Structures are given as C-alpha cells and as structure tokens.
C-alpha cells in the first residue's frame, strides 16, 4: 500500500533509525562480515548532495549494486527492445575501449567506416551512389539527423523558387516513436500525424498519409518495425503514391525510414519479398539502432544517406585541433567508441547467416507465444504467426493441410508468414471481456511483474486510443524454454482474475492453471496444439485464423 501524500517517507525512515553512540570508526575490514562494513560506511552518506568525504570503492560498488537489483532481471524485461547480452569476447573488447572517444582515434574511425559500408550493402545502396553515414548514440539521434537533412534540402529548394520556407511540415503515423515528434518540436517543423486503424494493423496506411501532404512537406517517415505492434509499413506503396503525386503536381517528397528495430531484422528475415530500403529511389535516408536487433549493448545507432548530395553541407563541421582534419555531422561531438567496436565484432562474428539464424529463432519463439495466446483468452493483433499470401495460396492447392494444423507445417522460413518484428502484441478477447467485465487488462501486467516478468500494458496509437494492448518483445535472450514458462504464467494469471472481486492486489484464491502433463513436464513443444488449454466460457479453444 502506498503511503498517504501527507506522510514524509524520508522523515519516517530518519526517525526510525537508532541514534549512533559509537566513537570507534577504525577499519574493521577482515574482522567482520563484509555487509557490516558496507552498512557502516554508508550510514551517514547523503543521497541527494555530494558527500563531504567519500567511502571505500568496495562499499560504493556494493551499495549501488544492491539498490539497482530493484530494476529486475534484464532477461525478463520483455518491454524493451534493447539488447541485454553479448559474448565474453565482445565484452572484453568493450572494456578494452571503454575510455575511448570514437572521433579521436584513427583506427576506430576505420572500423566505423567499415560498419557504414556493411550497412550500405545490406540496405542495397546503388553501386554508383556515394553513400554517407555516421554512428549515433541511438535511433533518436538518427531520426533527428534524417529530419534535419530533409528540412535543409526543402528550405534550399523553396528559397531558390522564391517560396515560403518558414513553415515546413513532416508526415508520419501515430504509431511512430516519440523521437519523431521530438524532432518536429525541437526543430520547428509541424508534425502531421496520421491516425491509425485496427483494420490496417495499427500502422500508417499510405493512402491515408497522402491527405496530409502539401508543398511544405519536407518528407514522409515510414516505420520499418512499429514500436506498438512490430508491423512493417509498406514503403513501396508509399513511394508509388508519391511518384503519382509528383507526376501530377511536381512535388518531389522524399522518404526517411525509421528502421530502429527493423533495420537488423528485415534484411535477414524478409530479403526476398519486402522492399523497404535504398532499392526504392525515393528512400533518401535510413536510421537503425545497433543496440536493438543489431545485438549490441546500449548505446549505438546508425544513419545513412543513399548519396552525399542528399546531406546538406551546412550540417557538416570540420575540426582541425585533433592533429588532422576531422568531419562531424552528429548532434554531439563525443560518442563512445566501445559500442561501435562491439557492432563490428557482431558483424564479423555472426555474418549474414548468423544474423539470419538469430532472426529466425526469435520469430519462431514469437510464433509459439502468438499461437498459444491466440487460442486461449486473448486476441493477438501482431501477424507474424499468420501465413503470407503466397503461403495461403500454396495451402489451398494442398487441400488446406496447413489450416487444419493451425499453419504449423509451414516451418521456419519467415517469408512464409506475414512480415513483422519478433514482437507479440495482444489483448483480452472480446469473449473474455464480456464474460468477466470486472477484469482490467492492466492487472495482468501488474500480476506478472510480481512473477518477475515485465510486460507493458498501454493504449494503442491515435485513432485507436480506446484499445489497450499488451506487448512482448522476443529478443535473443528469450529462449523457447522461457517462452513456455511465460505462456504458463500468462494463462495462470489471467485465469486467477476470473473470480468476481479478484484483483492483483488481493491474495490469490483462484484455482491454478495446470500445464503439467502426466509425466510432470511443463514444456510445450514448438508445434504443440494448445487448443485444449482453458478458454473463456462460450469459446471452444479459439480460432487460430483470427
């Protein structure tokens, strides 16, 4: 229970402490248990002002170490897209270079430029283009730079034409990360936000975006990997519509791709059918996060332009005081070298096939979770477990075999399923909510937190604000075994709330969901048929085709 607002928690803690009477402050290290030493060192330590005298490094470490354990286990934080594990040799490289500023070391700059070249090739930059790019502290900085380049280019064209260049606008979907709105607000650009619809997967629908575009539009930002649901926006359709607009009106509107998450998923999982990157001429720039599905610790991001002509010269600064000529076009001069080096390590260590296998594994585990939830108390709104149009056509020619088995016979190839990140977004089914109207969906998130799982419950973007969503990001560290445990905990938690009056803040008196087989195993195989698991009253197992 939270304390009342008129109660000062700090005052209560101070009054509850015993007044120290000792005068002996000698070093007792080695004579008493180390926890005594730690507490004695910290007993008079202020929390919000700089202490007059410091404490031993061991005590400072232990004090902070213990406090941040309250954050929880990073592996079980399924709310974040950020990567939380790297191999030992990568960590060794990071520690060897932890004190380096990337821009001040020539060998690091060579590695930086190799990473840019690798990404340019991965994102299909045309051979004759003079690609330009830089590492950033994350995708937020990449978005800022991509937007600034479009604004400068638009302003220059407007000035040459003798037109107003003071009222730029930019168009993107309501499903975009708030970094896009931050760009617009910080750099005086009108944000024209396209509402989303459930029937178009809670992402920007290109025909809807066209209504927001005019001669003051500096560009359209497409999202390759929606934060809300993991869907990949249709960049090709957006480009085709802008081509038609240019043919009709002369307006040449560029596209920037915010591929914060999709930049290290789409090239490996959907290389054949999904066109989204520099193979589309209207795509001028792309940003991504190396510290998401690039599999690097925070924080490193990347932003590339298909050609140096698209990056305005006013954004490039020359430095001469480091012993040579250096060029900078990031928002801050200093940035750590270690994450850049760690990115290059992953590129060498994994290669294309390694990144592809990680993507395939993540998507497989996400499909397992999606199917299990979609056939019980929930409606899954992400689509990665549903067959693609080509797979559905093949299914019909085979007499519907896949449909009869919930599409489980399609195998591991992500191209056989609808496109998306390894993200599972779901909500309570209409049947469950009708049968148990007292249950608040947010209770599921709160109760799972008590079990160690961190799963956010949030409202859908503008246009579908009335819909609440739960989301699981399936990262490399979420193994199949943990997915199976998660399924059990979600179902058990949801069932425990069915009793009228039940809430996550009362003792759980509900019967437990039992996933044990006769042998006592709790494992669910990747192809398991979960249609027999408990379902809401009036629902016989659920429809895997929802």
């Amino acid at each position: 229970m939270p304390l009342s607002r008129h109660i000062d928690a700090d005052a209560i803690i101070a009054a509850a402490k015993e007044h120290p009477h000792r005068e002996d402050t000698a070093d007792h290290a080695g004579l008493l248990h180390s926890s005594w030493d730690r507490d004695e060192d910290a007993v008079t330590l202020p929390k919000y002002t700089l202490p007059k005298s410091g404490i031993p490094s061991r005590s400072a470490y232990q004090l902070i170490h213990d406090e941040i354990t309250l954050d929880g286990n990073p592996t079980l934080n399924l709310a974040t897209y950020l990567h939380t594990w790297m191999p030992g040799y990568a960590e060794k490289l990071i520690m060897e270079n932890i004190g380096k500023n990337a821009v001040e070391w020539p060998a690091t700059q060579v590695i930086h430029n190799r990473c840019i070249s690798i990404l340019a090739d991965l994102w299909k930059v045309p051979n004759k283009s003079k690609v330009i790019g830089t590492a950033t502290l994350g995708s937020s900085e990449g978005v800022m730079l991509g937007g600034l380049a479009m604004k400068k280019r638009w302003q220059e064209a407007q000035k040459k034409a003798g037109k107003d260049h003071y009222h730029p606008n930019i168009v993107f979907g309501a499903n975009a990360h708030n970094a896009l709105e931050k760009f617009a607000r910080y750099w005086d650009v009108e944000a024209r936000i396209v509402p989303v619809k459930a029937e178009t997967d809670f992402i920007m629908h290109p025909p809807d975006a066209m209504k927001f575009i005019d001669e003051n539009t500096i560009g359209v930002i497409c999202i390759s990997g929606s934060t809300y649901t993991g869907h990949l926006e249709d960049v090709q359709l957006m480009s085709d519509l802008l081509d038609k607009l240019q043919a009709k009106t002369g307006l040449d509107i560029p596209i920037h791709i915010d591929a914060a998450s999709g930049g290290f998923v789409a090239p490996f999982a959907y290389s054949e059918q999904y066109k989204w990157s520099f193979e589309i001429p209207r795509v001028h720039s792309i940003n991504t996060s190396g510290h998401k599905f690039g599999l690097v610790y925070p924080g490193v991001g990347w932003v590339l332009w298909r050609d140096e002509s698209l990056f305005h010269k006013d954004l490039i600064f020359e430095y001469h005081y480091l012993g040579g000529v250096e060029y900078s076009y990031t928002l801050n001069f200093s940035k750590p070298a270690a994450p850049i080096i760690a990115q290059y390590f992953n590129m060498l260590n994994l290669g294309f096939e390694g990144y592809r296998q990680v993507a395939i594994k993540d998507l497989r585990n996400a499909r397992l979770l999606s199917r299990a939830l979609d056939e019980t108390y929930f409606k899954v709104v992400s689509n990665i477990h549903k067959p693609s149009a080509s797979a559905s056509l093949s299914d019909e020619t085979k007499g519907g075999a896949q449909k009869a088995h919930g599409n489980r016979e399609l195998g591991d190839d992500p191209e056989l399923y609808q496109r998306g990140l390894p993200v599972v977004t779901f909500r309570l089914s209409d049947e469950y909510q009708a049968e148990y109207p007292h249950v608040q969906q947010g209770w599921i998130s709160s109760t799972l937190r008590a079990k160690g799982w961190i799963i956010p419950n949030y409202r859908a973007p503008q246009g579908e604000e009335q819909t609440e969503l739960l989301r699981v990001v399936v990262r490399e560290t979420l193994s199949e075994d943990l997915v199976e445990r998660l399924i059990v905990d979600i179902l058990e938690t949801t069932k425990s709330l069915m009793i009228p009056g039940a809430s996550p803040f009362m003792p759980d008196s509900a019967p437990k969901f039992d996933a044990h087989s006769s042998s006592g195993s709790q494992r669910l195989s990747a192809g398991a048929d979960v249609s027999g698991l408990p379902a809401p009253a009036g629902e016989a197992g659920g429809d895997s085709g929802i």
Side-chain angles (χ1 to χ4, degrees), residues 274-348:
Y274 180 46
K275 290 187 177 182
W276 66 279
S277 55
F278 289 123
E279 73 264 47
I280 299 175
R282 197 169 289 276
V283 174
H284 283 196
S285 50
I286 301 173
N287 70 272
T288 194
S289 290
H291 56 229
K292 294 179 181 174
F293 292 102
L295 309 181
V296 179
Y297 290 134
V300 62
W302 304 91
V303 58
L304 274 68
W305 289 264
R306 67 184 302 121
D307 192 85
E308 61 184 7
S309 63
L310 303 175
F311 193 78
H312 200 278
K313 63 182 183 300
D314 286 352
L315 299 176
I316 302 175
F317 286 83
E318 242 182 64
Y319 295 93
H320 298 272
Y321 51 76
L322 297 176
V325 179
E326 298 289 341
Y327 299 94
S328 175
Y329 39 93
T330 50
L331 297 182
N332 63 305
F333 177 72
S334 298
K335 57 177 173 284
I340 296 171
I341 294 167
Q343 183 76 82
Y344 189 53
F345 169 89
N346 277 348
M347 290 172 168
L348 297 182

Side-chain angles (χ1 to χ4, degrees), residues 85-395:
W85 173 87
M86 291 195 76
Y89 280 110
E91 292 182 340
K92 182 176 172 63
L93 277 171
I94 289 171
M95 293 311 300
E96 289 172 354
N97 295 278
I98 197 74
K100 283 186 177 180
N101 181 3
V103 299
E104 296 178 346
W105 300 92
T108 299
Q109 279 298 298
V110 170
I111 288 175
H112 168 277
N113 294 338
R114 289 175 187 167
C115 290
I116 295 296
S117 178
I118 289 169
L119 288 172
D121 179 68
L122 194 64
W123 294 342
K124 301 181 180 179
V125 168
N127 290 333
K128 295 183 179 179
S129 293
K130 296 180 179 179
V131 67
I132 187 172
T134 183
T136 61
L137 292 177
S139 275
S140 294
E141 186 182 0
V143 164
M144 302 283 175
L145 293 169
L148 277 172
M150 289 193 295
K151 180 183 177 182
K152 286 287 187 181
R153 184 173 180 269
W154 172 83
Q155 285 179 323
E156 189 171 65
Q158 292 290 97
K159 289 177 183 178
K160 286 182 179 179
K163 297 181 179 179
D164 168 49
H165 61 277
Y166 294 106
H167 300 91
N169 67 70
I170 193 164
V171 176
F172 52 83
N175 57 299
H177 191 279
N178 64 15
L180 277 65
E181 289 188 64
K182 186 182 288 187
F183 157 75
R185 190 180 303 178
Y186 283 9
W187 274 276
D188 294 322
V189 177
E190 178 193 355
R192 295 189 173 179
I193 302 174
V194 184
V196 303
K197 295 177 287 190
E199 56 265 32
T200 51
D201 297 327
F202 298 92
I203 56 176
M204 182 178 70
H205 187 46
D208 293 340
M210 298 302 295
K211 306 169 188 175
F212 293 81
I213 295 170
D214 60 25
E215 66 176 4
N216 291 330
T217 301
I218 65 174
V220 176
I221 300 182
C222 294
I223 314 299
S224 183
S226 171
T227 298
Y228 287 85
T229 61
H231 287 97
L232 305 175
E233 291 184 351
D234 194 338
V235 182
Q236 183 66 69
L237 176 57
M238 189 75 252
S239 178
D240 291 344
L241 293 175
L242 291 173
D243 286 346
K244 292 179 181 178
L245 179 68
Q246 183 175 6
K248 182 178 180 181
T249 66
L251 294 177
D252 184 9
I253 310 296
I255 295 175
H256 173 84
I257 306 296
D258 178 14
S261 298
F264 276 98
V265 173
F268 306 110
Y270 308 110
S271 59
E272 298 299 323
Q273 300 177 14
Y274 180 46
K275 290 187 177 182
W276 66 279
S277 55
F278 289 123
E279 73 264 47
I280 299 175
R282 197 169 289 276
V283 174
H284 283 196
S285 50
I286 301 173
N287 70 272
T288 194
S289 290
H291 56 229
K292 294 179 181 174
F293 292 102
L295 309 181
V296 179
Y297 290 134
V300 62
W302 304 91
V303 58
L304 274 68
W305 289 264
R306 67 184 302 121
D307 192 85
E308 61 184 7
S309 63
L310 303 175
F311 193 78
H312 200 278
K313 63 182 183 300
D314 286 352
L315 299 176
I316 302 175
F317 286 83
E318 242 182 64
Y319 295 93
H320 298 272
Y321 51 76
L322 297 176
V325 179
E326 298 289 341
Y327 299 94
S328 175
Y329 39 93
T330 50
L331 297 182
N332 63 305
F333 177 72
S334 298
K335 57 177 173 284
I340 296 171
I341 294 167
Q343 183 76 82
Y344 189 53
F345 169 89
N346 277 348
M347 290 172 168
L348 297 182
N349 183 230
L350 291 170
F352 185 93
E353 191 57 31
Y355 269 112
R356 175 170 167 77
Q357 289 305 314
V358 170
I360 287 173
K361 187 201 79 166
D362 290 349
L363 287 163
R364 181 200 309 131
N365 287 337
R367 288 195 298 272
L368 171 62
L369 177 59
S370 299
R371 290 166 180 155
L373 296 179
D374 216 17
E375 297 176 353
T376 53
Y377 306 121
F378 301 96
K379 174 180 173 62
V380 175
V381 302
S382 48
N383 293 337
I384 53 169
H385 61 301
K386 298 176 183 178
S388 65
S390 59
S392 297
L393 182 63
S394 174
D395 180 33

Side-chain angles (χ1 to χ4, degrees), residues 43-115:
V43 69
T44 59
L45 198 67
K47 289 185 173 64
Y48 302 106
T49 59
L50 191 67
K52 183 177 180 180
S53 300
I55 61 175
S57 56
R58 180 182 65 180
S59 298
Y61 161 80
Q62 197 64 50
L63 189 71
I64 298 170
H65 170 84
D66 291 347
E67 187 163 345
I68 61 177
T69 57
L70 293 169
D71 279 339
N73 186 334
T75 300
L76 303 184
N77 183 2
L78 308 183
T80 183
Y81 285 81
L82 271 67
H83 194 60
T84 59
W85 173 87
M86 291 195 76
Y89 280 110
E91 292 182 340
K92 182 176 172 63
L93 277 171
I94 289 171
M95 293 311 300
E96 289 172 354
N97 295 278
I98 197 74
K100 283 186 177 180
N101 181 3
V103 299
E104 296 178 346
W105 300 92
T108 299
Q109 279 298 298
V110 170
I111 288 175
H112 168 277
N113 294 338
R114 289 175 187 167
C115 290

Side-chain angles (χ1 to χ4, degrees), residues 270-535:
Y270 308 110
S271 59
E272 298 299 323
Q273 300 177 14
Y274 180 46
K275 290 187 177 182
W276 66 279
S277 55
F278 289 123
E279 73 264 47
I280 299 175
R282 197 169 289 276
V283 174
H284 283 196
S285 50
I286 301 173
N287 70 272
T288 194
S289 290
H291 56 229
K292 294 179 181 174
F293 292 102
L295 309 181
V296 179
Y297 290 134
V300 62
W302 304 91
V303 58
L304 274 68
W305 289 264
R306 67 184 302 121
D307 192 85
E308 61 184 7
S309 63
L310 303 175
F311 193 78
H312 200 278
K313 63 182 183 300
D314 286 352
L315 299 176
I316 302 175
F317 286 83
E318 242 182 64
Y319 295 93
H320 298 272
Y321 51 76
L322 297 176
V325 179
E326 298 289 341
Y327 299 94
S328 175
Y329 39 93
T330 50
L331 297 182
N332 63 305
F333 177 72
S334 298
K335 57 177 173 284
I340 296 171
I341 294 167
Q343 183 76 82
Y344 189 53
F345 169 89
N346 277 348
M347 290 172 168
L348 297 182
N349 183 230
L350 291 170
F352 185 93
E353 191 57 31
Y355 269 112
R356 175 170 167 77
Q357 289 305 314
V358 170
I360 287 173
K361 187 201 79 166
D362 290 349
L363 287 163
R364 181 200 309 131
N365 287 337
R367 288 195 298 272
L368 171 62
L369 177 59
S370 299
R371 290 166 180 155
L373 296 179
D374 216 17
E375 297 176 353
T376 53
Y377 306 121
F378 301 96
K379 174 180 173 62
V380 175
V381 302
S382 48
N383 293 337
I384 53 169
H385 61 301
K386 298 176 183 178
S388 65
S390 59
S392 297
L393 182 63
S394 174
D395 180 33
E396 292 177 7
T397 63
K398 295 177 182 178
Q402 280 90 345
K403 185 176 181 181
H405 292 278
N407 304 308
R408 292 172 176 80
E409 294 184 357
L410 293 179
D412 267 353
D413 186 357
E415 300 274 10
L416 297 176
Y417 302 89
Q418 294 186 30
R419 298 187 298 264
L421 302 176
V423 169
V424 182
T425 305
F426 57 104
R427 63 172 178 83
L428 287 170
S429 68
D430 294 338
E431 294 84 357
Y432 184 99
Q433 293 181 77
E435 187 74 17
Y436 308 103
H438 69 281
V439 176
Q440 297 180 29
Q441 187 168 287
W443 292 353
I444 297 172
S445 177
S446 300
T447 309
L448 288 169
R449 185 66 176 89
K451 294 175 178 287
W453 303 105
I454 302 175
I455 297 177
N457 183 74
Y458 54 90
R459 292 198 177 276
Q462 177 188 340
E464 292 288 345
E465 303 95 327
Q466 75 283 0
T467 302
E468 287 187 54
L469 301 171
L470 292 154
R471 188 194 68 207
V472 170
V473 180
V474 180
R475 305 189 307 276
E476 184 191 12
T477 50
L478 191 66
S479 65
E480 181 180 323
D481 185 66
L482 281 175
V483 170
E484 292 169 6
R485 183 64 253 176
L486 176 62
I487 291 169
V488 171
D489 284 346
I490 291 176
L491 297 179
E492 182 178 291
T493 292
T494 309
K495 185 174 182 180
S496 73
L497 299 173
M498 291 179 180
I499 296 178
S503 87
F505 312 108
M506 296 176 61
D508 181 10
S509 58
K512 298 291 186 182
F513 168 71
D514 184 7
H516 292 257
S517 68
S518 58
S519 63
S521 171
Q522 293 187 19
R523 290 185 60 82
L524 297 171
S525 65
D529 183 357
V530 294
S531 58
L533 296 180

